[in-house]
């Protein structure tokens, strides 16, 4: 996935500040964090951007109903919720952009001025049904008939709330002009929209014909003013999409950062939820084509998290805050669960019962127990110093082969933006090691003095298991950095192999890296078993 520049730029959508984060947002952020940590361990030059979308009518109305200004509302949500949740999730982003920052606003005005000057933005009028929840004009055909309290009204298919008829004297972006170029681009770059289901949906939509896009509002003022007509503010989506570009143009202090732009533009991956796919796969590339800028390599649309069969939503009372789960299981287990249990790109369900079952089976009994058993045996049989191995048998070589294959398969899965398959591949090594320990029965070998010394069979078994665990620490560091770091420490690896974060994925599967005599310590359990899983 790395290009010739060896750089990797990935973004989350910027999150809308009218609400606090729920696990649906956390899912996107964790996926972004796992992928970027992985690419960093490939020794690529990585930039991970996230942030908040703060303009628009929905934020303005929420602020009004809370008796504060929109800026005060945005500041409070960002400080109290959106920035802290990154820490809760253990996400390691490089930048955090807010669309109310001057660096963003000035760069957006420059961008749209160019489009206006060259005739891609023109004045016109428009009337149609508008959903404030989506901040989008709807096509009459996609609306649903309301039921219950909304009986007799047309409602948004996503929000279930009535749409409003808006009639405005607006500015328009001449998007229809780019329809053929977009279709040609999709054809030439099948990797541009992923997964395939998302690509098919967008192709079908664009082939029906693109209309020009209304990109200004003059009925409220919470937005970026158009430079040539200050009565109008820019449509919030046009404003928000540009964050991916403006964040590389200036830093938070407003200083130009041409070296960032040169290094990272265009983005390798924009991760988005499938409900905002069209904005990213149709409007955004059309904007960039009009501007004459390079297009991102991939827009990847993931599915929805369902709770009780419904999309997570604050208004439907299914919203779960990430801290509710992380307080019980920890951030590593949260990251593991959501990255492995759900096929990335498809909808997935969350339940407390499944989360607890996976935690105990895979983390406490699978990986965690393996690590503590190895440390305990090195302590008991060799006084805590890793022994000198003897010759490898077929069984030992099999473990090394599984490790090498796990690395290759996981790398391929990361390139395919498939975090769940990457973890599946790594877990073949967890399972193989557990089986190896069961079959090799080191506690029995230890009873035979001729096999229990340096260079003997017992030593070879323990060193093989330790090498497998070393590989697991490297491979699982992007997913579960806290546990991987503890394991790295327990193996005494940092002293001569260096910091875990600096370990290249590519060489993780090569055995023979741990030195004889290394101090192996049995620390606290990586994943303590849950006694009460009923929550
Ligand atoms: Zn809607």
């Amino acid at each position: 996935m790395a290009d010739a520049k060896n750089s990797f730029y990935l973004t989350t959508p910027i999150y809308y500040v009218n609400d606090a984060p729920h696990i649906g947002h956390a899912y996107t952020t964790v996926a972004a964090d796992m992928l970027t940590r992985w690419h960093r361990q490939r020794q690529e030059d990585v930039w991970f951007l996230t942030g908040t979308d703060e303009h628009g009518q929905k934020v303005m109305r929420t602020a009004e109903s809370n008796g504060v200004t929109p800026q005060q509302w945005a500041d409070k949500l960002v400080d109290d919720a959106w920035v802290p949740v990154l820490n809760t999730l253990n996400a390691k982003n490089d930048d955090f952009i807010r669309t109310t920052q001057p660096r963003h606003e000035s760069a957006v005005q420059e961008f749209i001025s160019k489009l206006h000057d060259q005739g891609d933005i023109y004045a016109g009028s428009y009337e149609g049904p508008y959903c404030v929840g989506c901040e989008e004009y709807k096509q009459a055909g996609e609306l649903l008939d309301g039921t219950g309290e909304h009986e007799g009204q047309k409602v948004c298919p996503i929000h279930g709330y009535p749409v409003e008829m808006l009639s405005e004297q607006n500015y328009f972006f001449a998007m229809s002009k780019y329809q053929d170029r977009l279709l040609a681009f999709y054809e030439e770059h099948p990797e541009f929209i992923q997964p395939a289901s998302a690509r098919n949906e967008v192709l079908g939509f664009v082939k029906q014909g693109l209309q020009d896009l209304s990109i200004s509002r003059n009925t409220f003022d919470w937005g970026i003013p158009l430079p040539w007509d200050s009565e109008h503010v820019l449509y919030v989506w046009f404003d928000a999409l540009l964050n991916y570009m403006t964040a590389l143009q200036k830093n938070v202090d407003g200083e130009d950062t041409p070296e960032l732009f040169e290094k990272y533009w265009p983005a390798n991956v924009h991760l988005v939820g499938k409900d905002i796919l069209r904005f990213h796969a149709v409007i955004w590339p059309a904007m960039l084509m009009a501007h004459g800028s390079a297009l991102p390599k991939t827009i990847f649309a993931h599915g929805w998290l369902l709770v009780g069969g419904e999309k997570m939503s604050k208004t439907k009372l299914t919203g779960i805050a990430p801290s509710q789960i992380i307080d019980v299981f920890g951030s590593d287990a949260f990251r593991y669960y959501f990255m492995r249990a759900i096929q990335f790109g498809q909808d997935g369900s969350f339940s407390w019962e499944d989360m607890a079952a996976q935690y105990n089976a895979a983390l406490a009994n699978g990986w965690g127990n393996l690590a503590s058993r190895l440390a305990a045996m090195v302590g008991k049989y060799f006084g805590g110093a890793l022994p000198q191995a003897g010759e490898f048998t077929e069984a030992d070589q099999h473990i090394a082969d599984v490790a090498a294959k796990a690395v290759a398969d996981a790398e391929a899965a990361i390139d395919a933006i498939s975090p769940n398959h990457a973890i599946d591949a790594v877990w073949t090594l967890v399972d193989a090691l557990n089986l190896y320990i069961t079959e090799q029965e080191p506690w029995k070998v230890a009873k035979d003095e001729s096999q229990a010394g340096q260079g003997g069979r017992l030593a070879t078994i323990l060193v093989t298991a330790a090498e497998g665990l070393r590989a697991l620490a490297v491979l699982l560091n992007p997913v579960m950095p806290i546990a991987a770091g503890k394991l790295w420490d327990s193996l005494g690896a940092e002293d001569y192999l260096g910091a875990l974060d600096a370990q290249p994925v590519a060489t993780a599967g090569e055995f023979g890296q741990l030195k004889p005599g290394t101090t192996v310590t049995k620390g606290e359990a990586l994943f303590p078993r849950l006694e009460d899983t009923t929550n």
Side-chain angles (χ1 to χ4, degrees), residues 10-11 24 26-35 194-197 269-273 299-305 338-348 413-414 416-422:
L10 181 144
T11 67
Y27 178 60
T28 317
T29 301
V30 164
D33 190 60
M34 173 182 161
L35 290 167
Q194 298 185 47
S197 55
V269 183
H270 292 310
L271 282 188
V272 302
I299 311 291
F300 192 99
H302 66 70
W304 284 342
L305 277 195
F338 286 106
M339 287 303 97
R340 190 173 189 197
I342 300 163
Q343 165 79 51
F344 205 58
Q346 295 177 11
D347 291 349
I414 292 296
I417 316 179
S418 187
N420 57 300
H421 286 131

Side-chain angles (χ1 to χ4, degrees), residues 58 130-136 138 155-161 163:
K58 190 159 52 169
Y130 190 85
C131 173
V132 174
C134 295
E135 295 280 15
E136 182 186 34
K138 296 285 168 185
V155 301
C156 166
I158 292 171
H159 289 90
Y161 281 162
V163 291

Side-chain angles (χ1 to χ4, degrees), residues 11-18 52-59 99 104 108 111-112 130-138 158-159 173 175 213-217 220 222-224 226 233-246 270-285 287-288 299 311:
T11 67
T12 70
I14 48 173
Y15 302 112
Y16 212 44
V17 292
N18 70 314
T52 43
D53 179 6
E54 306 185 4
H55 289 130
Q57 201 166 7
K58 190 159 52 169
V59 170
T99 55
H104 175 73
V108 165
F111 185 100
I112 56 175
Y130 190 85
C131 173
V132 174
C134 295
E135 295 280 15
E136 182 186 34
Y137 277 105
K138 296 285 168 185
I158 292 171
H159 289 90
F173 168 48
M175 192 159 70
L213 181 71
S214 165
I215 59 140
S216 75
R217 304 283 180 266
F220 62 93
W222 183 234
I224 298 178
L226 301 187
V233 293
L234 183 62
Y235 171 46
V236 65
W237 267 106
F238 223 74
D239 164 356
L241 287 163
L242 281 165
N243 90 87
Y244 304 128
M245 184 180 242
T246 63
H270 292 310
L271 282 188
V272 302
K274 65 180 182 182
D275 48 335
I276 54 171
L277 172 64
R278 282 185 199 171
F279 298 100
H280 286 82
V282 181
I283 300 177
W284 178 226
M287 287 165 67
L288 291 169
I299 311 291
K311 186 189 178 221

Side-chain angles (χ1 to χ4, degrees), residues 5 7 248 257-265:
K5 296 197 284 190
S7 67
L248 295 180
T257 53
E259 69 291 347
L260 275 189
F261 195 82
E262 172 63 27
K263 196 185 286 179
Y264 297 114
W265 188 263

Side-chain angles (χ1 to χ4, degrees), residues 144-147 149-155 162-163:
L144 303 176
D145 289 319
T147 54
E149 57 174 321
H150 305 314
E151 185 84 50
Q153 292 173 289
K154 291 289 184 184
V155 301
V163 291

Side-chain angles (χ1 to χ4, degrees), residues 355-437:
M355 170 104 206
Q358 300 296 332
Y359 175 96
N360 272 338
L363 300 181
N365 298 338
W367 184 31
N369 188 41
L370 180 69
S372 60
R373 284 171 91 189
L374 183 272
M377 287 190 283
V378 173
K380 185 172 174 189
Y381 303 130
F382 292 97
L386 196 69
Q388 174 73 52
E391 244 172 74
F392 264 28
T393 64
E394 210 172 296
D396 313 326
Q397 188 54 48
H398 174 68
I399 294 298
D401 293 346
V402 171
K405 186 172 190 306
V407 171
D409 291 351
E411 288 272 63
I414 292 296
D415 280 340
I417 316 179
S418 187
N420 57 300
H421 286 131
I423 301 176
D424 286 348
V426 175
W427 229 259
T428 60
L429 181 55
V430 176
D431 294 339
L433 282 167
N434 273 312
L435 184 63
Y436 172 80
I437 295 290

